[in-house]
Amino acid sequence: VGSIRVTPTLSDPAATMTVNGQATNSGQARTVTLNPAGQPTNIPIVVTAQNGTPKTYQVTVSRGVSGNNNLQGLTVSPGTLDRAFLASRTGYTVNVASTVVNITVTPRVQDPAATMTVNGQGTNSGQARTIQLGAEGSNTPIIIIVTAQNGTQRTYTVGINRAARNGNNNLRILTVSPGTLTPSFDEGLLTYTVDVANNVGTINVTPTPDDSTATMTVNGQAIGSGQSRTVSLNPAGQDTNVPIVVTAQNGNAKSYLITVSRGVSSNNTLQSLTVSPGTLNPTFSANRTSYTVNVA
């Protein structure tokens, strides 16, 4: 209550009157602004008789002190409170990703006369506070203390759980072209072989990690998820090892290995055969092995 109305009525219509120093007619209401909560307000009413004799009445208004130490609202960003906010509910949890390094909390009080601190810092109602979070895998408490006008306090706590770094260093998909992995791909199997013909000089390797935050290399070269890398093969008859290293967000690495066997040719056929001077008889054919040549 910030003001009060006072309505005095004279016993003698011939008398005059003031309320808080203001001339007031009999039966007239006067609005008086009160002092802040917790401070009394004195309202003097002076009645002066027709013969000039004054009489003073005094009304002392005691304006109570608020005991409201509730929050009206509470939001965080990024993240969401684990339960719907209620003024009577004082404990909350928020889960955020390992990549989140700070969080913004915005509390609002129910009573404008109340004061508030967030982790020890004086904070206005509706003011956003940025809180630095602890290391990955840690919990950071946010303590909000609301102090009512009468000095009583209520404490709200928000626990911020920052996720640990992901340790997933598995491949989800691994394909090669040309050729086929032996055995068929399984994220738990780390070694594979691929047989290709002797005339195949390169092979395309395409790995996809299980976790999008993991990083990869193929043959020592960085590669993105689902990206194809072309690897040159050793000469026919020689194996080529293609290592694939997957590094999880927490730094743990896992190595997959593809061994590509490039076949040796069994082609022992001539493509052509000529003599000079002279002419082969019969005409050359790759499948014919005997000829005659007549010369002078």
Side-chain angles (χ1 to χ4, degrees), residues 24 39 52 58 74 101-102 105 108 113 139 150 155 169 178 184 187 202 204 214 222 240 256 269 276 281 283 291:
T24 303
Q39 298 180 27
Q58 180 167 287
L74 177 61
V101 296
N102 54 55
V105 58
R108 291 179 293 110
N139 176 276
N150 66 0
T155 300
N169 54 14
S184 297
E187 66 178 30
T202 61
N204 293 318
T240 303
Y256 294 81
T269 302
S276 178
N281 185 24
T283 302
Y291 301 87

Side-chain angles (χ1 to χ4, degrees), residues 245-263:
V245 180
V246 185
T247 304
Q249 192 181 38
N250 66 1
N252 291 338
K254 177 182 285 186
S255 294
Y256 294 81
L257 180 65
I258 300 173
T259 300
V260 183
S261 297
R262 184 177 178 183

